[in-house]
Amino acid sequence: MSESLAWEIERLPTGIPGFDQVCSGGLPKNRSAIVAGTAGSGKTLMAMQFLHAGVKYFDEGGVFVTFEESPADLILNVKSFGWDIDELIRKKKIAVVDATPDPGENNIQAGAFDLAGLMARIENAARSVKAKRVILDAVGALFPQFSDSNLVRRELHRIAAGLRRLNLTIVMTMERLDEEGGIGRFGVEEYVADNVIILRNRLEQERRRRTIEILKFRGVVHQKGEYTFTIDRLDGITILPLSAIELKQGSTNKRVSSGIPELDGMCGGGMYRDSIILISGATGTGKTLTVTHYIKAAIEAGERAILFGSEESREQLTRNARSWGIDFEGAEKTGLLRIICRYPDVMGLEDHLLQMRRDIDDFKPARVAVDSLSAFELAGSRRSFREFVITLTSHLKHKEITGLITNTTPMLIGGESVTESHISTITDTIILLRYVELHGEMRRGLAILKMRGTQHQKDIREYLIDGEGMHIRDAFRGVHGIMTGTPTYMFTREREQLSDMFTAKPLSLDE
Amino acid sequence: MIYRLRLFITGRTSHSLRALENLRQICESELKGRYEVEVIDVLENPDLADEEKILATPTLVRKLPEPVRKIVGDLSDREKVLMGLDIYKSEPAPSEE
C-alpha cells in the first residue's frame, strides 16, 4: 500500500462527536475498519452510532448486518439514546441483514460452498437504501457456524472487497478476550481491514475508564495514543480528544473586573477577557467569596455567567452570596446567571466534562466559575483528572470565556496541590490565598503568583473578610517565608532600611 | 410423505451447477415421485434469501417434512445430504408416518 502515501485518502466524516477530530477528518472512505474491544467496551454502540449519525447528519443510508444479536435487540438497545432505527428502516434509510444463526439449528455441511449468499443479501440491502455505510456487527460469531475458519476469513475478505467496490465504508466489530494482546480471536484483521480501532474499558482506581485508540489507519495520518470517551443518553459515544485541541493563547487585551477593585489594581487593571484564573488556598481563606465577587462583577457588567458548584449546594451558595449582599437568585431569574451544582462523585469525570461543556455551549456565558475544581480530584484517577482539567480549561479558552477556578490546598499554611501542578501551565493567572501566622495571630495574605502578558504586583498583601466581602490591604513587610508557611521576621531597623531603599513613600505597617 | 426442498444458489457458478446436478441425482434415486424442488437464485431473489437467513450458497433447505433443515454446500457429500434430509438408504421406503 505504499502508493497510498503519495495521495491523500478521502475521508468519510462519521458524525460521532470527537471521533473525526481524533482521526483527522473521519474514517478512510470506501475502506473497512475493524472496531475491536472486550465485552461491554461499546463496539456495537459505536457501530450503530456510525450508522445513525450517517443518516442524521449526512443523509447517508446504511446497512447493518448482525451476526450475534437479533436485529430487534440491537434496535431496542439503542432506543434509549433516542435513536429510532425502526423509523429509519421504514423511511428506507437503514436496512437490516439478519445473519444470526437460528437457535438450535446446526448447519450440515455437505460439500463446497462460499458466502456469496450473504454478499448478495448485503448488496441488495445496500441498494435498497442507497447505502454509504455498512456495519458488520460481531463478525466473530460467524466462525462457529462453519467448520472451516480459513474459509470464513477468506469469504469475509471477499465481502469486504466487494463492498468497497460498491463505494461503501465498512465498520466491523470484533470481540477481544482481554484488553491487551491480540486484536481479535480469528485473525480477521490480518486479512480484512485496512484500519483497526480498539476500544478499551479498564478499571482504574475503582473507576471505569473508557478509551479509544486508532491502532492503524493504513496510509493515513491519525492521532496516536488513547483518547477517553464517554457514553451518555444524549449523544451516545463522545470522544474527548485531549491533545487534538489546539492551544490558543490569549490574544485579547480587553480586561474584565474580578469584582474586587484592589485585586484589579494589583493585576494592572483587571483580568484578561479570555484568561483562566486559578484561586488557590486552604479552607476558609475566602475562595468562594472571591468567586462571589467575580460573579457579581459579571452580573453588574450585564454579562452571562455560569457558576459550577462542586462542594456546596445551590442553597448554600445563594445564601452565602446574600449574606454579602449579592442576589444570585435575582440574577438567575433575569437569565444572567446559572448555578449548576453537581457533586463530583455522582459520575465519572468524562461525564462531568461532557455535561459542563454542554452547559457552556447551551448558556453561552462570558464567564465561568468552578468552585472548586480540586473537589473533582477524587472523582477519577490522576490521569483522568489531568485530562479533565486540561480539556475543560482548553474549552473555555477556545470559547474565549473568562474562567475562574478554585483549588483547595490540603494544608492550612503553605503547600501546593495536584491541581496547581496540573494546570499551572494552562492558567494565565494564579492567585494564592494563604493563612499567615503573625505575632500569634492568624491573618490572611494574598499574592499573585503569575499573570501572563502583563505586569502585576509581586507583594504579598494582607486581606480582610467582613460582611461586605473581601478587602485587600497593604503588603506584609518585614516577614519572609509566608508562602512556605514558616514566616520569619526581620529586625525593625533592617526592615525600615530595606523599605526605604525600595519605596519612596512611607508605609504604614499596622492597619 | 412429500419432500419440499428449496435450493439457494448464486448465479451459475461451478458450486451452483454441481449442487443442482447432485440434488437431481439424489432426488431421482431416493425420492422419486415424492419431491418438489424450487431453485432460487439469490442474486435475483434476495428477499427470499433474507427470509431463510441464507449466508452460504449453495444451501439446500428442507421445508417439508418439518422441522426445517439446512444443508450447506454443493451436496457432493451424498451421505451427509441423505442424513440431513433424514433419508435412510438401507430402508426401502419410509412407510412410518
PDB file of all heavy atoms in Angstrom, chain A residues 251-285:
ATOM      1  N   SER A 251      -5.318  36.376  23.192  1.00  0.00           N
ATOM      2  CA  SER A 251      -4.865  37.348  22.210  1.00  0.00           C
ATOM      3  C   SER A 251      -5.499  38.707  22.473  1.00  0.00           C
ATOM      4  O   SER A 251      -5.061  39.716  21.950  1.00  0.00           O
ATOM      5  CB  SER A 251      -5.257  36.867  20.814  1.00  0.00           C
ATOM      6  OG  SER A 251      -6.613  36.487  20.818  1.00  0.00           O
ATOM      7  N   THR A 252      -6.529  38.720  23.297  1.00  0.00           N
ATOM      8  CA  THR A 252      -7.230  39.971  23.518  1.00  0.00           C
ATOM      9  C   THR A 252      -6.535  40.768  24.625  1.00  0.00           C
ATOM     10  O   THR A 252      -5.871  40.196  25.480  1.00  0.00           O
ATOM     11  CB  THR A 252      -8.699  39.713  23.897  1.00  0.00           C
ATOM     12  OG1 THR A 252      -9.289  40.962  24.215  1.00  0.00           O
ATOM     13  CG2 THR A 252      -8.811  38.806  25.092  1.00  0.00           C
ATOM     14  N   ASN A 253      -6.686  42.070  24.578  1.00  0.00           N
ATOM     15  CA  ASN A 253      -6.201  42.842  25.722  1.00  0.00           C
ATOM     16  C   ASN A 253      -7.345  43.538  26.454  1.00  0.00           C
ATOM     17  O   ASN A 253      -7.137  44.460  27.213  1.00  0.00           O
ATOM     18  CB  ASN A 253      -5.104  43.826  25.313  1.00  0.00           C
ATOM     19  CG  ASN A 253      -5.524  44.644  24.116  1.00  0.00           C
ATOM     20  OD1 ASN A 253      -6.710  44.642  23.753  1.00  0.00           O
ATOM     21  ND2 ASN A 253      -4.594  45.340  23.509  1.00  0.00           N
ATOM     22  N   LYS A 254      -8.562  43.035  26.171  1.00  0.00           N
ATOM     23  CA  LYS A 254      -9.712  43.553  26.915  1.00  0.00           C
ATOM     24  C   LYS A 254      -9.671  42.998  28.333  1.00  0.00           C
ATOM     25  O   LYS A 254      -9.349  41.837  28.532  1.00  0.00           O
ATOM     26  CB  LYS A 254     -11.004  43.083  26.249  1.00  0.00           C
ATOM     27  CG  LYS A 254     -11.672  44.156  25.426  1.00  0.00           C
ATOM     28  CD  LYS A 254     -13.115  43.783  25.182  1.00  0.00           C
ATOM     29  CE  LYS A 254     -13.536  44.178  23.798  1.00  0.00           C
ATOM     30  NZ  LYS A 254     -14.290  43.167  23.105  1.00  0.00           N
ATOM     31  N   ARG A 255     -10.017  43.861  29.273  1.00  0.00           N
ATOM     32  CA  ARG A 255      -9.961  43.398  30.652  1.00  0.00           C
ATOM     33  C   ARG A 255     -11.352  43.338  31.263  1.00  0.00           C
ATOM     34  O   ARG A 255     -12.239  44.097  30.890  1.00  0.00           O
ATOM     35  CB  ARG A 255      -9.117  44.362  31.478  1.00  0.00           C
ATOM     36  CG  ARG A 255      -7.724  44.543  30.911  1.00  0.00           C
ATOM     37  CD  ARG A 255      -6.713  44.309  31.970  1.00  0.00           C
ATOM     38  NE  ARG A 255      -5.376  44.646  31.512  1.00  0.00           N
ATOM     39  CZ  ARG A 255      -4.304  44.256  32.176  1.00  0.00           C
ATOM     40  NH1 ARG A 255      -4.402  43.555  33.278  1.00  0.00           N
ATOM     41  NH2 ARG A 255      -3.108  44.580  31.742  1.00  0.00           N
ATOM     42  N   VAL A 256     -11.510  42.447  32.211  1.00  0.00           N
ATOM     43  CA  VAL A 256     -12.756  42.385  32.967  1.00  0.00           C
ATOM     44  C   VAL A 256     -12.415  42.493  34.445  1.00  0.00           C
ATOM     45  O   VAL A 256     -11.303  42.163  34.861  1.00  0.00           O
ATOM     46  CB  VAL A 256     -13.543  41.075  32.693  1.00  0.00           C
ATOM     47  CG1 VAL A 256     -13.949  40.986  31.241  1.00  0.00           C
ATOM     48  CG2 VAL A 256     -12.744  39.864  33.114  1.00  0.00           C
ATOM     49  N   SER A 257     -13.395  42.952  35.211  1.00  0.00           N
ATOM     50  CA  SER A 257     -13.125  43.151  36.631  1.00  0.00           C
ATOM     51  C   SER A 257     -13.271  41.840  37.386  1.00  0.00           C
ATOM     52  O   SER A 257     -14.126  41.015  37.075  1.00  0.00           O
ATOM     53  CB  SER A 257     -14.089  44.185  37.202  1.00  0.00           C
ATOM     54  OG  SER A 257     -13.974  44.208  38.610  1.00  0.00           O
ATOM     55  N   SER A 258     -12.437  41.665  38.386  1.00  0.00           N
ATOM     56  CA  SER A 258     -12.556  40.497  39.242  1.00  0.00           C
ATOM     57  C   SER A 258     -13.626  40.711  40.298  1.00  0.00           C
ATOM     58  O   SER A 258     -13.955  39.800  41.047  1.00  0.00           O
ATOM     59  CB  SER A 258     -11.222  40.224  39.932  1.00  0.00           C
ATOM     60  OG  SER A 258     -10.963  41.268  40.858  1.00  0.00           O
ATOM     61  N   GLY A 259     -14.149  41.925  40.374  1.00  0.00           N
ATOM     62  CA  GLY A 259     -15.146  42.234  41.387  1.00  0.00           C
ATOM     63  C   GLY A 259     -14.528  42.776  42.674  1.00  0.00           C
ATOM     64  O   GLY A 259     -15.232  43.228  43.562  1.00  0.00           O
ATOM     65  N   ILE A 260     -13.214  42.715  42.760  1.00  0.00           N
ATOM     66  CA  ILE A 260     -12.513  43.276  43.923  1.00  0.00           C
ATOM     67  C   ILE A 260     -11.579  44.372  43.395  1.00  0.00           C
ATOM     68  O   ILE A 260     -10.581  44.059  42.734  1.00  0.00           O
ATOM     69  CB  ILE A 260     -11.707  42.181  44.663  1.00  0.00           C
ATOM     70  CG1 ILE A 260     -12.637  41.031  45.062  1.00  0.00           C
ATOM     71  CG2 ILE A 260     -10.992  42.755  45.884  1.00  0.00           C
ATOM     72  CD1 ILE A 260     -11.910  39.775  45.525  1.00  0.00           C
ATOM     73  N   PRO A 261     -11.920  45.622  43.626  1.00  0.00           N
ATOM     74  CA  PRO A 261     -11.167  46.712  42.997  1.00  0.00           C
ATOM     75  C   PRO A 261      -9.667  46.648  43.285  1.00  0.00           C
ATOM     76  O   PRO A 261      -8.855  46.855  42.377  1.00  0.00           O
ATOM     77  CB  PRO A 261     -11.786  47.971  43.623  1.00  0.00           C
ATOM     78  CG  PRO A 261     -13.112  47.555  44.141  1.00  0.00           C
ATOM     79  CD  PRO A 261     -13.030  46.107  44.462  1.00  0.00           C
ATOM     80  N   GLU A 262      -9.303  46.319  44.519  1.00  0.00           N
ATOM     81  CA  GLU A 262      -7.869  46.276  44.852  1.00  0.00           C
ATOM     82  C   GLU A 262      -7.159  45.194  44.046  1.00  0.00           C
ATOM     83  O   GLU A 262      -6.016  45.371  43.630  1.00  0.00           O
ATOM     84  CB  GLU A 262      -7.655  46.007  46.349  1.00  0.00           C
ATOM     85  CG  GLU A 262      -8.259  47.050  47.279  1.00  0.00           C
ATOM     86  CD  GLU A 262      -9.651  46.670  47.786  1.00  0.00           C
ATOM     87  OE1 GLU A 262     -10.387  45.974  47.047  1.00  0.00           O
ATOM     88  OE2 GLU A 262     -10.006  47.070  48.909  1.00  0.00           O
ATOM     89  N   LEU A 263      -7.859  44.070  43.845  1.00  0.00           N
ATOM     90  CA  LEU A 263      -7.253  42.969  43.091  1.00  0.00           C
ATOM     91  C   LEU A 263      -7.059  43.380  41.635  1.00  0.00           C
ATOM     92  O   LEU A 263      -6.020  43.093  41.028  1.00  0.00           O
ATOM     93  CB  LEU A 263      -8.122  41.713  43.201  1.00  0.00           C
ATOM     94  CG  LEU A 263      -7.568  40.428  42.581  1.00  0.00           C
ATOM     95  CD1 LEU A 263      -6.228  40.046  43.190  1.00  0.00           C
ATOM     96  CD2 LEU A 263      -8.550  39.285  42.729  1.00  0.00           C
ATOM     97  N   ASP A 264      -8.069  44.051  41.095  1.00  0.00           N
ATOM     98  CA  ASP A 264      -7.929  44.560  39.723  1.00  0.00           C
ATOM     99  C   ASP A 264      -6.710  45.464  39.627  1.00  0.00           C
ATOM    100  O   ASP A 264      -5.941  45.397  38.667  1.00  0.00           O
ATOM    101  CB  ASP A 264      -9.177  45.352  39.314  1.00  0.00           C
ATOM    102  CG  ASP A 264     -10.393  44.451  39.155  1.00  0.00           C
ATOM    103  OD1 ASP A 264     -10.189  43.224  39.081  1.00  0.00           O
ATOM    104  OD2 ASP A 264     -11.511  44.980  39.110  1.00  0.00           O
ATOM    105  N   GLY A 265      -6.545  46.296  40.657  1.00  0.00           N
ATOM    106  CA  GLY A 265      -5.398  47.200  40.687  1.00  0.00           C
ATOM    107  C   GLY A 265      -4.082  46.439  40.698  1.00  0.00           C
ATOM    108  O   GLY A 265      -3.154  46.765  39.951  1.00  0.00           O
ATOM    109  N   MET A 266      -4.042  45.394  41.515  1.00  0.00           N
ATOM    110  CA  MET A 266      -2.815  44.603  41.597  1.00  0.00           C
ATOM    111  C   MET A 266      -2.480  43.943  40.262  1.00  0.00           C
ATOM    112  O   MET A 266      -1.325  43.676  39.957  1.00  0.00           O
ATOM    113  CB  MET A 266      -2.964  43.492  42.655  1.00  0.00           C
ATOM    114  CG  MET A 266      -2.919  44.002  44.076  1.00  0.00           C
ATOM    115  SD  MET A 266      -3.287  42.658  45.246  1.00  0.00           S
ATOM    116  CE  MET A 266      -1.728  41.767  45.267  1.00  0.00           C
ATOM    117  N   CYS A 267      -3.534  43.630  39.497  1.00  0.00           N
ATOM    118  CA  CYS A 267      -3.324  42.954  38.214  1.00  0.00           C
ATOM    119  C   CYS A 267      -3.112  43.952  37.083  1.00  0.00           C
ATOM    120  O   CYS A 267      -3.127  43.556  35.907  1.00  0.00           O
ATOM    121  CB  CYS A 267      -4.521  42.088  37.866  1.00  0.00           C
ATOM    122  SG  CYS A 267      -4.833  40.803  39.044  1.00  0.00           S
ATOM    123  N   GLY A 268      -3.004  45.185  37.410  1.00  0.00           N
ATOM    124  CA  GLY A 268      -2.775  46.169  36.359  1.00  0.00           C
ATOM    125  C   GLY A 268      -4.050  46.556  35.633  1.00  0.00           C
ATOM    126  O   GLY A 268      -4.009  46.912  34.461  1.00  0.00           O
ATOM    127  N   GLY A 269      -5.197  46.443  36.305  1.00  0.00           N
ATOM    128  CA  GLY A 269      -6.432  46.933  35.703  1.00  0.00           C
ATOM    129  C   GLY A 269      -7.451  45.861  35.375  1.00  0.00           C
ATOM    130  O   GLY A 269      -8.325  46.066  34.547  1.00  0.00           O
ATOM    131  N   GLY A 270      -7.353  44.720  36.005  1.00  0.00           N
ATOM    132  CA  GLY A 270      -8.361  43.676  35.792  1.00  0.00           C
ATOM    133  C   GLY A 270      -7.775  42.444  35.132  1.00  0.00           C
ATOM    134  O   GLY A 270      -6.593  42.388  34.800  1.00  0.00           O
ATOM    135  N   MET A 271      -8.648  41.456  34.936  1.00  0.00           N
ATOM    136  CA  MET A 271      -8.234  40.193  34.316  1.00  0.00           C
ATOM    137  C   MET A 271      -8.451  40.282  32.814  1.00  0.00           C
ATOM    138  O   MET A 271      -9.386  40.919  32.358  1.00  0.00           O
ATOM    139  CB  MET A 271      -9.106  39.044  34.842  1.00  0.00           C
ATOM    140  CG  MET A 271      -9.247  38.994  36.335  1.00  0.00           C
ATOM    141  SD  MET A 271      -7.653  38.633  37.046  1.00  0.00           S
ATOM    142  CE  MET A 271      -8.060  38.663  38.784  1.00  0.00           C
ATOM    143  N   TYR A 272      -7.622  39.556  32.076  1.00  0.00           N
ATOM    144  CA  TYR A 272      -7.863  39.498  30.635  1.00  0.00           C
ATOM    145  C   TYR A 272      -9.122  38.697  30.346  1.00  0.00           C
ATOM    146  O   TYR A 272      -9.408  37.701  31.012  1.00  0.00           O
ATOM    147  CB  TYR A 272      -6.668  38.871  29.917  1.00  0.00           C
ATOM    148  CG  TYR A 272      -5.514  39.829  29.793  1.00  0.00           C
ATOM    149  CD1 TYR A 272      -4.278  39.544  30.343  1.00  0.00           C
ATOM    150  CD2 TYR A 272      -5.686  41.037  29.119  1.00  0.00           C
ATOM    151  CE1 TYR A 272      -3.228  40.423  30.227  1.00  0.00           C
ATOM    152  CE2 TYR A 272      -4.633  41.928  29.006  1.00  0.00           C
ATOM    153  CZ  TYR A 272      -3.404  41.615  29.565  1.00  0.00           C
ATOM    154  OH  TYR A 272      -2.384  42.494  29.442  1.00  0.00           O
ATOM    155  N   ARG A 273      -9.844  39.157  29.360  1.00  0.00           N
ATOM    156  CA  ARG A 273     -11.131  38.571  28.982  1.00  0.00           C
ATOM    157  C   ARG A 273     -11.069  37.045  28.764  1.00  0.00           C
ATOM    158  O   ARG A 273     -11.891  36.299  29.246  1.00  0.00           O
ATOM    159  CB  ARG A 273     -11.587  39.283  27.711  1.00  0.00           C
ATOM    160  CG  ARG A 273     -12.419  38.560  26.736  1.00  0.00           C
ATOM    161  CD  ARG A 273     -13.790  39.161  26.637  1.00  0.00           C
ATOM    162  NE  ARG A 273     -14.566  38.805  27.823  1.00  0.00           N
ATOM    163  CZ  ARG A 273     -15.591  39.472  28.286  1.00  0.00           C
ATOM    164  NH1 ARG A 273     -15.968  40.591  27.738  1.00  0.00           N
ATOM    165  NH2 ARG A 273     -16.257  39.038  29.323  1.00  0.00           N
ATOM    166  N   ASP A 274     -10.065  36.586  28.050  1.00  0.00           N
ATOM    167  CA  ASP A 274     -10.025  35.148  27.732  1.00  0.00           C
ATOM    168  C   ASP A 274      -8.957  34.431  28.545  1.00  0.00           C
ATOM    169  O   ASP A 274      -8.209  33.626  28.022  1.00  0.00           O
ATOM    170  CB  ASP A 274      -9.801  34.931  26.243  1.00  0.00           C
ATOM    171  CG  ASP A 274      -8.529  35.602  25.761  1.00  0.00           C
ATOM    172  OD1 ASP A 274      -7.934  36.350  26.552  1.00  0.00           O
ATOM    173  OD2 ASP A 274      -8.140  35.368  24.607  1.00  0.00           O
ATOM    174  N   SER A 275      -8.907  34.751  29.822  1.00  0.00           N
ATOM    175  CA  SER A 275      -7.880  34.099  30.625  1.00  0.00           C
ATOM    176  C   SER A 275      -8.501  33.138  31.634  1.00  0.00           C
ATOM    177  O   SER A 275      -9.694  33.189  31.922  1.00  0.00           O
ATOM    178  CB  SER A 275      -7.027  35.146  31.343  1.00  0.00           C
ATOM    179  OG  SER A 275      -7.791  35.864  32.271  1.00  0.00           O
ATOM    180  N   ILE A 276      -7.660  32.251  32.106  1.00  0.00           N
ATOM    181  CA  ILE A 276      -8.063  31.296  33.133  1.00  0.00           C
ATOM    182  C   ILE A 276      -7.357  31.717  34.422  1.00  0.00           C
ATOM    183  O   ILE A 276      -6.130  31.841  34.453  1.00  0.00           O
ATOM    184  CB  ILE A 276      -7.625  29.862  32.770  1.00  0.00           C
ATOM    185  CG1 ILE A 276      -8.151  29.444  31.392  1.00  0.00           C
ATOM    186  CG2 ILE A 276      -8.044  28.884  33.855  1.00  0.00           C
ATOM    187  CD1 ILE A 276      -9.605  29.126  31.329  1.00  0.00           C
ATOM    188  N   ILE A 277      -8.137  31.937  35.447  1.00  0.00           N
ATOM    189  CA  ILE A 277      -7.580  32.402  36.710  1.00  0.00           C
ATOM    190  C   ILE A 277      -7.758  31.302  37.748  1.00  0.00           C
ATOM    191  O   ILE A 277      -8.863  30.768  37.906  1.00  0.00           O
ATOM    192  CB  ILE A 277      -8.308  33.681  37.188  1.00  0.00           C
ATOM    193  CG1 ILE A 277      -8.270  34.738  36.089  1.00  0.00           C
ATOM    194  CG2 ILE A 277      -7.709  34.205  38.489  1.00  0.00           C
ATOM    195  CD1 ILE A 277      -9.566  35.449  35.893  1.00  0.00           C
ATOM    196  N   LEU A 278      -6.693  30.972  38.405  1.00  0.00           N
ATOM    197  CA  LEU A 278      -6.754  29.946  39.444  1.00  0.00           C
ATOM    198  C   LEU A 278      -6.620  30.613  40.803  1.00  0.00           C
ATOM    199  O   LEU A 278      -5.672  31.361  41.032  1.00  0.00           O
ATOM    200  CB  LEU A 278      -5.625  28.936  39.231  1.00  0.00           C
ATOM    201  CG  LEU A 278      -5.452  27.882  40.324  1.00  0.00           C
ATOM    202  CD1 LEU A 278      -6.607  26.900  40.306  1.00  0.00           C
ATOM    203  CD2 LEU A 278      -4.137  27.133  40.143  1.00  0.00           C
ATOM    204  N   ILE A 279      -7.582  30.337  41.665  1.00  0.00           N
ATOM    205  CA  ILE A 279      -7.508  30.834  43.035  1.00  0.00           C
ATOM    206  C   ILE A 279      -7.190  29.636  43.908  1.00  0.00           C
ATOM    207  O   ILE A 279      -7.953  28.669  43.933  1.00  0.00           O
ATOM    208  CB  ILE A 279      -8.863  31.411  43.511  1.00  0.00           C
ATOM    209  CG1 ILE A 279      -9.414  32.417  42.529  1.00  0.00           C
ATOM    210  CG2 ILE A 279      -8.749  31.965  44.928  1.00  0.00           C
ATOM    211  CD1 ILE A 279      -8.878  33.785  42.675  1.00  0.00           C
ATOM    212  N   SER A 280      -6.081  29.692  44.586  1.00  0.00           N
ATOM    213  CA  SER A 280      -5.674  28.538  45.357  1.00  0.00           C
ATOM    214  C   SER A 280      -5.528  28.916  46.821  1.00  0.00           C
ATOM    215  O   SER A 280      -4.895  29.910  47.151  1.00  0.00           O
ATOM    216  CB  SER A 280      -4.343  28.030  44.803  1.00  0.00           C
ATOM    217  OG  SER A 280      -3.872  26.990  45.595  1.00  0.00           O
ATOM    218  N   GLY A 281      -6.122  28.135  47.682  1.00  0.00           N
ATOM    219  CA  GLY A 281      -5.999  28.435  49.106  1.00  0.00           C
ATOM    220  C   GLY A 281      -6.601  27.345  49.960  1.00  0.00           C
ATOM    221  O   GLY A 281      -7.339  26.485  49.470  1.00  0.00           O
ATOM    222  N   ALA A 282      -6.283  27.387  51.247  1.00  0.00           N
ATOM    223  CA  ALA A 282      -6.815  26.397  52.174  1.00  0.00           C
ATOM    224  C   ALA A 282      -8.275  26.722  52.473  1.00  0.00           C
ATOM    225  O   ALA A 282      -8.798  27.765  52.066  1.00  0.00           O
ATOM    226  CB  ALA A 282      -5.993  26.392  53.454  1.00  0.00           C
ATOM    227  N   THR A 283      -8.899  25.819  53.166  1.00  0.00           N
ATOM    228  CA  THR A 283     -10.305  26.015  53.500  1.00  0.00           C
ATOM    229  C   THR A 283     -10.475  27.264  54.361  1.00  0.00           C
ATOM    230  O   THR A 283      -9.669  27.529  55.251  1.00  0.00           O
ATOM    231  CB  THR A 283     -10.863  24.755  54.207  1.00  0.00           C
ATOM    232  OG1 THR A 283     -12.173  25.039  54.636  1.00  0.00           O
ATOM    233  CG2 THR A 283     -10.026  24.362  55.417  1.00  0.00           C
ATOM    234  N   GLY A 284     -11.474  28.063  54.042  1.00  0.00           N
ATOM    235  CA  GLY A 284     -11.747  29.253  54.840  1.00  0.00           C
ATOM    236  C   GLY A 284     -10.936  30.479  54.475  1.00  0.00           C
ATOM    237  O   GLY A 284     -11.052  31.517  55.123  1.00  0.00           O
ATOM    238  N   THR A 285     -10.148  30.401  53.421  1.00  0.00           N
ATOM    239  CA  THR A 285      -9.351  31.577  53.068  1.00  0.00           C
ATOM    240  C   THR A 285     -10.141  32.569  52.212  1.00  0.00           C
ATOM    241  O   THR A 285      -9.667  33.667  51.959  1.00  0.00           O
ATOM    242  CB  THR A 285      -8.069  31.176  52.287  1.00  0.00           C
ATOM    243  OG1 THR A 285      -8.419  30.226  51.295  1.00  0.00           O
ATOM    244  CG2 THR A 285      -7.023  30.607  53.212  1.00  0.00           C
TER     245      THR A 285
END
